Amino acid sequence: MPDLEVLPIDVAEKFAPTLSAEAAAIVQAYQRVSKAGSTVRAYTSDARVFQDWCARYGFRSLPATLEAVAGFLVHEAEAGRSASTIGRRCAAIRYAHKLAGAPDPTDDEGVRAALKGARRKVGTAPTQKAAATADILMALLMRTPDTLTGKRDRALLALGFAGAFRRSELVALDVADLRDDPKGLRVTVRRSKTDQEGQGVEIAIPHGRFIRPVALVREWLDAAEITEGPVFRPVSRSGRVRSSGQVGHLVPRLTTQAVADIIKRYCVAAGLDAPAFGAHSLRSGYITSAAERGVDLARIMDQSRHRDPRTVLGYVRRANAFKEHSGDGFL
């Protein structure tokens, strides 16, 4: 199977008699951005795994036979892959065939049955990262040092929690996305997991009385003398905000992995089980904290931007598992 990042070229070449090289390149570019960058990278990796498996067992990877796809999915289950990984690899095979204009082998009833059996074998319950609730977040903030790095980390933790942001949304923020409001801060998320076309959405961040996310963001920006460009940037060991140092080069911003590392570092400092927490813990922590306080589901979804209420209801149920329990009166 060709590399997914190369596949669009093959698709564009089908139109070679009618498209110029420049037009074909434009088609290729639009096909590439039809999926999020992280999705394309994951699909590319999955496609290579499938290609290697097919080569090992003498199958053709594109177009793939029904037997090859079903056998591959069963093999992945036997190898102990998670249900989400198996599902994503199936989606990668589907996407590759779609781009190549080939029949979709994953649409076959036998392949779907193999996928269902594979998922049943490994189990589909996702591993949940612990929620960094308001109380836990306060404990993390108390461990941040009064340095430039500490100010950045305080701002990142507080804003990530207050906006129920995904880590990709958090590191993508620019100063231009922040707008002061008498009641707090209006933050524009220009692109997200559920908004790949970049329509954008505005998130309200109140001043707050306890965590005070707006004040912490302003403290960081003032201390780092940041007036434009990325909000969250690397800080060197010497305590200086890193810049490219070259005219025309982009100012570096924190990576999504850095967000996870920062959270885990302060969990260690607070004496918490660090492996149980991750970058998603800020987002789930906000939702859980709101649910514990009986906030209306629709209002929670306004902040979290979830499209499916069932996802949020999962957090609500976990948060209120013991609240007014049916067995309180007799257990």
Side-chain angles (χ1 to χ4, degrees):
M1 178 180 290
D3 190 314
L4 280 179
E5 295 196 59
V6 176
L7 259 176
I9 299 177
D10 300 333
V11 177
E13 284 177 350
K14 290 186 176 184
F15 302 96
T18 56
L19 290 181
S20 66
E22 181 180 0
I26 293 174
V27 170
Q28 173 194 348
Y30 273 90
Q31 288 169 326
R32 281 180 173 173
V33 300
S34 67
K35 294 284 185 183
S38 58
T39 301
V40 170
R41 287 191 294 273
Y43 279 9
T44 299
S45 175
D46 292 332
R48 287 172 179 159
V49 171
F50 180 56
Q51 179 181 5
D52 292 344
W53 183 89
C54 286
R56 186 182 310 126
Y57 292 100
F59 288 105
R60 184 179 59 206
S61 59
L62 185 69
T65 64
L66 304 179
E67 293 79 11
V69 177
F72 172 69
L73 297 176
V74 171
H75 174 271
E76 291 298 279
E78 291 293 329
R81 307 288 184 253
S82 68
S84 60
T85 296
I86 295 172
R88 192 190 65 233
R89 287 183 175 167
C90 186
I93 295 171
R94 180 186 308 116
Y95 186 54
H97 282 72
K98 178 180 178 181
L99 287 181
D104 176 14
T106 68
D107 194 38
D108 176 75
E109 184 61 36
V111 173
R112 287 201 297 265
L115 176 62
K116 185 176 181 180
R119 290 169 62 87
R120 180 178 296 145
K121 176 179 175 59
V122 300
T124 59
T127 301
Q128 295 283 346
K129 286 294 185 182
T133 57
D135 291 340
I136 291 176
L137 182 67
M138 290 296 291
L140 302 186
L141 293 175
M142 290 173 61
R143 268 70 181 184
T144 56
D146 194 25
T147 61
L148 195 58
T149 299
K151 293 179 191 297
R152 181 203 63 193
D153 294 348
R154 280 198 293 271
L156 183 142
L157 292 170
L159 185 62
F161 176 86
F165 289 120
R166 299 176 177 89
R167 56 179 167 179
S168 58
E169 298 169 345
L170 200 55
V171 299
L173 290 176
D174 288 335
V175 175
D177 299 327
L178 311 181
R179 185 161 60 89
D180 286 319
D181 184 276
K183 295 183 179 180
L185 195 65
R186 294 179 182 269
V187 179
T188 299
V189 177
R190 301 196 179 278
R191 190 181 295 273
S192 68
K193 178 180 178 181
T194 55
D195 178 24
Q196 294 299 327
E197 296 182 1
Q199 295 181 358
V201 63
E202 188 177 80
I203 305 299
I205 308 295
H207 286 294
R209 292 180 296 163
F210 306 104
I211 295 172
R212 299 169 54 249
V214 178
L216 293 180
V217 169
R218 287 302 173 198
E219 181 183 7
W220 152 244
L221 293 176
D222 290 344
E225 299 181 347
I226 296 174
T227 57
E228 60 181 0
V231 172
F232 296 111
R233 310 178 184 186
V235 177
S236 69
R237 291 184 178 180
S238 61
R240 302 184 65 178
V241 178
R242 290 180 181 169
S243 61
S244 65
Q246 300 180 39
V247 177
H249 283 229
L250 295 176
V251 175
R253 63 177 75 233
L254 281 186
T255 64
T256 53
Q257 182 58 49
V259 176
D261 293 342
I262 288 169
I263 293 170
K264 289 181 181 296
R265 182 163 65 248
Y266 290 112
C267 283
V268 170
L272 301 172
D273 180 17
F277 293 83
H280 190 72
S281 294
L282 296 177
R283 180 170 166 80
S284 62
Y286 177 91
I287 297 169
T288 301
S289 297
E292 288 175 343
R293 288 155 177 78
V295 177
D296 182 73
L297 177 64
R299 295 299 293 161
I300 296 176
M301 291 180 66
D302 281 344
Q303 196 75 353
S304 68
R305 289 95 63 210
H306 277 100
R307 290 183 174 179
D308 190 345
R310 290 175 297 181
T311 303
V312 182
L313 280 172
Y315 291 106
V316 174
R317 290 192 185 99
R318 285 191 293 274
N320 296 322
F322 290 94
K323 187 176 182 179
E324 298 180 359
H325 195 282
S326 58
D328 279 348
F330 57 87
L331 290 180

